[in-house]
Structure formats: structure tokens, C-alpha cells
Amino acid sequence: MEGFIDAMEEFNIRLITTEEEFESVVINAMVKEGWRPGLKDAECYLACDPTGTFVGELNGTPIGFVFLAKYGENYGHIGCYLVRKEYRGKGYGLKIFNAALANVKPSRSIGLSALQDKEQMYQRSGFHSHFNGGRFVFHLPTAVVCFSESLEQSTVTVKCIDQVDQKALFVYDSSVFGFERRPLLSKWLRVYGRHAYVATKEGAIVGYVVARPTFVKEDGYKIGPLFADSESIAEMLLKALFEELLQQEKPLQWSG
């Protein structure tokens, strides 16, 4: 149950609108929490929705934030929601969360990814669980040799993302993600340091994968999105990606 906010304290909620502040407040907090944000996530998220990042300040000090990106007219996605540990359970987070929700049209669907121990908290706000996901850390030399040799016989072609039509890729992403998110992908697919591959079959896109460098260099890369029409296509995309990243000898984390 949420606690109470001291009436003598000054608590304000406002937008974060610059990459510098997003990095200072949001990215650094995510690093401390062990969430391994991407190197250019501030640039990507603000390009997606410059009015989606809400920060709560207690007596002028940022203590929590919510990023809720609006994808078109029909969908919003909560990309991160975090309150400093010493201020949790006191009602501050819920106020920031509700301020972010109030910025979204009631007709929009809203989704998020949550830790299992936070599932009931979101259910109290009207959310429902649809599937379970996971995060994996790959040791590249081991992962590469685990791929099936039969992948080489596939009729699917894997190409660098720069070799395919961007509009066609946007259409494919919308078909598998469920909503159009061009403003985000326009940055995400071209961001500094990214590695991305697309799978095609008979000229049609059947999958794609993107890896981006993490904010903390030693953490390596994060993978996402990874979409494919079949498991074998997903393996082909990952194999191509891993072989390229293997040359850089960095650890790799996949994040769905």
C-alpha cells in the first residue's frame, strides 16, 4: 500500500525535454539500477515523444520519473518507471505515474514490461498480464557455434539494414508490433554505433534485429527489437549479428 506524502514538503512534477537532462536524470538512474540503458537512448526516446518523460522533484531534487511514449493515436508504451529507493512506498511514484497516464488519450491502449514482483502493483492500476519475457546474457563464441548448420541451406537472405527499403521495414514492424512507431524507429535504426540486419524471402521482409551499444561501455550491447517469422529466421539474424559483434569482443545482453 502506498504511504503518505508530507504536506510540508514541496513535490512537483514536470516534463524533461532535453537530451542532457534525460541522460542526467533518467539514464544515470537506470545505470544505478542495473538496467543497462543504450548509449543514445535519450536521443531516441525524446525523438519518439518529446512530451512523454515526467520527473518528480522533492524540494527541487529529482527522485523519480516515468517515460510514456505515445505511438500514433492508438497506443502508448511505458518504457521506464523508477523511483529512488529511499522514496519508494511513499506515494511519490504513483503521483508521477498518474501524471504520465493523464497525458495520454483515454482511447489509447497502454502497455509496459514489468518485473514479476511489480505485477500486482500494475494490476491495481488496471493493467493485465499477457505474457512472460526474459533477459539473457550471451557469450558470443559459445552462442555462434550453437546455431544449426542447416541455416546455411535456407532460402532466406540476411542483409545489412541499409540494403532494404526503410518504409517497407516500418510496415513490417507495424505488422508484428501491432502499432505504428515510425518516430522511434527512425532514430533507433540509425543511431550511432548500432548494428542491424534484415531477413528477406522472395523480396519480402521476414524479420529484423538491432543491437545498440550500452551507455556503460563495459556492458557491451543490447539487442532489441528482434522480430522474425520463424525460429530459424531468428537464428539466422542472430548468427549474422553475433559474428559481427564477436570481432569486437564485447559482452552482449539481449533485452526484449
Side-chain angles (χ1 to χ4, degrees):
M1 183 175 180
E2 293 286 355
F4 295 94
I5 297 176
D6 191 332
M8 300 298 292
E9 296 177 330
E10 183 179 347
F11 184 67
N12 296 308
I13 300 171
R14 62 175 178 83
L15 287 175
I16 289 178
T17 58
T18 68
E19 291 179 21
E20 291 77 13
E21 188 176 24
F22 192 105
E23 191 171 291
S24 174
V25 174
V26 178
I27 299 298
N28 284 328
M30 293 174 71
V31 169
K32 292 179 181 178
E33 201 70 17
W35 289 358
R36 298 185 180 183
L39 178 63
K40 295 294 183 178
D41 281 5
E43 176 183 337
C44 293
Y45 289 148
L46 288 178
C48 173
D49 189 348
T51 63
T53 310
F54 294 80
V55 58
E57 294 179 322
L58 184 62
N59 299 324
T61 301
I63 65 167
F65 58 84
V66 173
F67 175 71
L68 199 170
K70 296 178 285 293
Y71 296 161
E73 294 297 319
N74 300 315
Y75 182 68
H77 188 83
I78 298 175
C80 49
Y81 171 21
L82 183 62
V83 176
R84 284 168 52 180
K85 290 182 179 180
E86 61 267 35
Y87 296 105
R88 294 173 188 173
K90 299 182 179 181
Y92 298 114
L94 184 60
K95 283 185 173 293
I96 306 170
F97 187 78
N98 286 338
L101 292 181
N103 191 46
V104 176
K105 292 181 179 180
S107 59
R108 277 193 177 98
S109 298
I110 300 175
L112 56 83
S113 297
L115 298 173
Q116 284 191 320
D117 62 351
K118 303 298 183 185
E119 189 173 357
Q120 291 186 351
M121 179 186 74
Y122 288 113
Q123 288 175 344
R124 290 196 294 270
S125 294
F127 289 86
H128 303 279
S129 299
H130 286 275
F131 60 87
N132 292 322
R135 292 187 177 184
F136 305 90
V137 176
F138 292 104
H139 177 252
L140 294 184
T142 303
V144 167
V145 299
C146 289
F147 291 116
S148 172
E149 293 182 3
S150 63
L151 295 178
E152 305 298 332
Q153 310 301 321
S154 174
T155 59
V156 174
T157 301
V158 175
K159 306 175 181 179
C160 176
I161 197 169
D162 297 322
Q163 296 177 287
V164 301
D165 179 68
Q166 183 171 267
K167 291 182 179 180
L169 188 56
F170 289 160
V171 171
Y172 176 79
D173 181 83
S174 297
S175 71
V176 291
F177 183 76
F179 298 93
E180 192 274 331
R181 50 180 183 166
R182 182 172 304 198
L184 173 66
L185 293 180
S186 294
K187 281 286 186 180
W188 200 270
L189 301 180
R190 309 292 174 182
V191 72
Y192 171 80
R194 68 95 176 99
H195 300 265
Y197 287 93
V198 178
T200 63
K201 184 175 183 179
E202 298 178 355
I205 294 176
V206 291
Y208 82 99
V209 63
V210 182
R212 68 194 194 280
T214 52
F215 187 78
V216 177
K217 185 177 181 181
E218 290 73 20
D219 286 340
Y221 286 79
K222 292 187 74 173
I223 298 178
L226 167 59
F227 292 129
D229 288 6
S230 69
E231 184 175 321
S232 62
I233 294 173
E235 287 190 29
M236 292 184 67
L237 288 165
L238 287 175
K239 183 174 186 292
L241 180 65
F242 287 3
E243 287 176 341
E244 181 177 2
L245 293 176
L246 184 58
Q247 300 175 13
Q248 303 181 50
E249 298 182 355
K250 294 180 182 294
L252 182 66
Q253 166 151 325
W254 176 81
S255 179

